[in-house]
């Protein structure tokens, strides 16, 4: 982000200089997809695309926020919050959860701007939420507890905005470390920062397709997973492994139980195998085994495509185009799916040619224009 531009915009709009700038990043998930709401494992990294707020504290309890990207403002009193359906629902929801959790909030004048593509599966909403929380921490003078802030922001998204996402995006935006991916146990919320292998880049491949009706499909997947856990007699799918007797017996039974049984079986097989892949990916990263990491990317995509059924044609084409390029170790869709982005693991030496050629190949096969970013693993929410 261009902080100077943001400062200038603040000066123009509020006729004063901002005293504080905060930022929170978007994320790309390396592996562990649709596992977070199954108490499983994920491996996201924060990217160098972020949401920033330049601000000045006010003496009262009013929040006045101008969206630079949408060129609209929102003004509300922190003690009479009512949900609205615009972008301001995110900062409102965060304020509401912070207040409910007992924080005393002070108001501020702020300009919010970002360069995380919206609806692309790179967690622009978590970035808005965490930037808001960081802004309140700075203005109101409370201590920053990344895990607690992530949980409150997730609650804001679930209950105020009404999107039933898991905890991964908020944890990534709150707690990632520059240069590292973050291995997260979504049950205990224990974190391990795992360094990215040297000589490879993570390349984000935006298909330019956007997920429609994602919420209903996402919620449907959640209930199918819950149904599978119930049939398996476990708290969550995290508690099952593929070579356990429990899985062998239950999966045979599911397959015999008509269409629904077969569907639930496939959903469960994705989640259980994806958890195993996420665990193996961390080991591969620690050993610098990029080849294996790339294979796990590929296996993850196939499972999301065939068993979890959350890819679309554009994502499948993109992944195929990426895998054909020299120096690509593996590629997979990332985020919720149904459109949005894929991520590829590419040898540094080949990155320049990869970016050029993958875009051309994708254009040829899909007729669509891709946006391609080579991204850097960046720091979770911070003060500038
Ligand atoms: C979205 C949700 C996350 C997670 C992913 C899929 O990004 O917000 O909580 O479930 O989809 O892995």
């Amino acid at each position: 982000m261009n902080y100077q531009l943001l400062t200038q915009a603040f000066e123009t709009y509020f006729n004063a200089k901002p005293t504080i700038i905060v930022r929170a990043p978007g994320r790309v998930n390396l592996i562990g997809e649709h596992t977070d709401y199954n108490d499983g494992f994920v491996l996201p990294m924060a990217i160098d695309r972020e949401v920033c707020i330049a601000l000045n504290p006010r003496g009262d309890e009013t929040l006045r926020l101008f969206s630079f990207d949408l060129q609209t403002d929102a003004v509300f009193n922190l003690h009479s919050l009512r949900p609205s359906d615009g972008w301001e629902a995110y900062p409102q929801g965060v304020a509401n959860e912070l207040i409910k959790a007992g924080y005393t909030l002070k108001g501020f004048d702020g300009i919010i701007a970002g360069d995380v593509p919206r609806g692309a599966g790179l967690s622009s909403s978590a970035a808005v939420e965490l930037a808001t929380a960081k802004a309140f921490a700075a203005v109101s003078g409370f201590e920053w507890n990344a895990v607690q802030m992530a949980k409150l922001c997730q609650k804001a998204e679930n209950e105020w905005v009404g999107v039933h996402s898991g905890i991964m995006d908020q944890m990534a935006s709150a707690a990632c470390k520059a240069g590292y991916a973050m291995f997260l146990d979504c049950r205990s919320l224990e974190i391990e920062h795992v360094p990215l292998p040297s000589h490879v880049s993570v390349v984000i491949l935006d298909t330019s397709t956007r997920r429609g009706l994602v919420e209903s499909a996402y919620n449907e997947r959640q209930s199918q997973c819950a149904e599978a856990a119930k049939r398996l007699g476990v708290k969550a799918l995290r508690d099952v492994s593929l070579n356990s007797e429990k899985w062998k017996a239950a999966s045979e039974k599911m397959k015999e139980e008509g269409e629904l049984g077969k569907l639930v079986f496939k959903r469960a097989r994705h989640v259980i195998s994806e958890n195993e892949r996420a665990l193996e990916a961390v080991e591969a990263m620690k050993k610098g085994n990029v080849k294996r990491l790339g294979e796990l990317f590929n296996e993850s995509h196939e499972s999301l495509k065939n068993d979890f059924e959350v890819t679309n044609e554009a994502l499948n084409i993109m992944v195929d185009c990426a895998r054909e390029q020299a120096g690509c170790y593996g590629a997979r869709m990332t985020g919720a799916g149904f459109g949005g982005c894929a991520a590829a693991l590419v040898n540094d030496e080949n990155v320049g040619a990869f970016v050029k050629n993958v875009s051309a190949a994708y254009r040829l096969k899909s007729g669509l224009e891709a946006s391609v970013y080579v991204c850097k693993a960046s720091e979770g929410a911070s003060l500038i």
Side-chain angles (χ1 to χ4, degrees):
M1 272 293 292
N2 185 333
Y3 303 128
Q4 217 177 341
L5 212 67
L6 190 66
T7 303
Q8 279 164 11
F10 187 95
E11 287 171 7
T12 311
Y13 192 76
F14 290 108
N15 220 351
K17 277 195 186 313
T19 49
I20 297 169
I21 300 182
V22 295
R23 58 166 282 285
R27 63 98 190 94
V28 58
N29 187 22
L30 299 185
I31 203 159
E33 216 65 86
H34 288 276
T35 49
D36 62 350
Y37 53 82
N38 291 295
D39 278 2
F41 305 104
V42 293
L43 188 64
M45 82 183 208
I47 57 175
D48 45 349
R49 299 260 171 160
E50 59 194 18
V51 169
C52 299
I53 304 177
L55 62 106
N56 256 344
R58 295 172 58 105
D60 58 15
E61 290 167 342
T62 296
L63 180 60
R64 177 171 193 146
L65 210 48
F66 180 73
S67 162
F68 184 72
D69 305 318
L70 303 173
Q71 294 285 307
T72 58
D73 73 347
V75 184
F76 44 87
N77 184 288
L78 295 171
H79 292 286
S80 52
L81 292 167
R82 240 165 283 120
S84 51
D85 6 298
W87 61 274
E88 65 272 22
Y90 293 90
Q92 280 174 346
V94 172
N96 180 56
E97 286 305 330
L98 287 167
I99 292 167
K100 273 187 6 204
Y103 291 95
T104 306
L105 300 189
K106 297 199 171 128
F108 61 86
D109 288 334
I111 289 240
I112 184 164
D115 58 5
V116 189
R118 274 186 290 271
L122 300 175
S123 296
S124 58
S125 19
V128 171
E129 291 153 13
L130 268 302
T132 307
K134 194 78 196 172
F136 277 122
V139 169
S140 316
F142 61 80
E143 211 179 302
W144 181 255
N145 175 329
V147 174
Q148 195 183 13
M149 290 301 130
K151 280 162 110 176
L152 292 178
C153 287
Q154 183 204 11
K155 235 172 143 214
E157 180 146 344
N158 290 172
E159 287 170 20
W160 192 273
V161 183
V163 176
H164 298 280
S165 51
I167 189 70
M168 166 169 71
D169 305 346
Q170 288 79 10
M171 280 295 288
S173 187
C176 275
K177 255 171 77 169
Y180 293 79
M182 183 178 81
F183 178 56
L184 172 69
D185 178 334
C186 296
R187 173 170 280 169
S188 64
L189 296 189
E190 218 173 285
I191 290 172
E192 186 183 352
H193 298 285
V194 189
L196 288 170
S198 51
H199 313 303
V200 284
S201 296
V202 175
V203 183
I204 295 177
L205 305 159
D206 189 342
T207 61
S208 79
T209 59
R210 293 291 177 260
R211 39 189 214 207
L213 287 180
V214 66
E215 257 165 64
S216 53
Y218 186 90
N219 295 345
E220 191 186 73
R221 295 302 182 285
Q222 273 189 348
S223 30
Q224 289 164 342
C225 290
E227 172 64 26
K230 205 169 104 196
R231 290 181 185 212
L232 281 151
V234 290
K235 184 163 176 270
L237 287 177
R238 138 77 175 275
D239 299 309
V240 183
S241 68
L242 279 186
N243 56 22
S244 63
E245 288 310 316
K246 188 180 263 239
W247 171 248
K248 283 180 196 152
S251 57
E252 282 314 314
K253 216 168 139 223
M254 283 184 208
K255 282 189 274 184
E256 286 156 16
E257 284 169 356
E259 283 309 304
L260 180 66
K262 284 201 191 88
L263 203 60
V264 168
F265 159 75
K266 287 208 299 185
R267 305 302 190 238
R269 183 168 63 181
H270 164 71
V271 174
I272 299 168
S273 63
E274 184 75 355
N275 273 329
E276 294 179 3
R277 282 187 288 274
L279 288 165
E280 202 192 332
V282 174
E283 290 315 308
M285 265 173 76
K286 286 182 184 164
K287 290 189 193 128
N289 189 347
V290 191
K291 189 170 164 282
R292 183 65 195 136
L293 188 59
E295 286 166 2
L296 291 163
F297 268 44
N298 291 341
E299 288 167 23
S300 167
H301 184 85
E302 296 316 303
S303 174
L304 288 156
K305 176 180 164 190
N306 301 319
D307 274 355
F308 217 62
E309 297 177 289
V310 290
T311 67
N312 67 354
E313 207 195 337
L315 281 165
N316 297 333
I317 293 176
M318 182 63 95
V319 160
D320 286 344
C321 293
R323 289 176 188 163
E324 282 164 9
Q325 307 304 319
C328 178
Y329 291 102
R332 57 180 292 275
M333 59 148 271
T334 185
F338 311 102
C341 293
L345 203 59
V346 183
N347 195 329
D348 277 345
E349 280 175 18
N350 301 89
V351 154
F354 176 89
V355 170
K356 219 170 81 213
N357 297 338
V358 80
S359 308
Y362 179 70
R363 186 181 307 122
L364 201 69
K365 281 197 190 162
S366 69
L368 298 168
E369 283 301 320
S371 299
V372 181
Y373 328 104
V374 181
C375 62
K376 274 214 295 277
S378 65
E379 188 74 15
S382 63
L383 271 173
I384 303 289

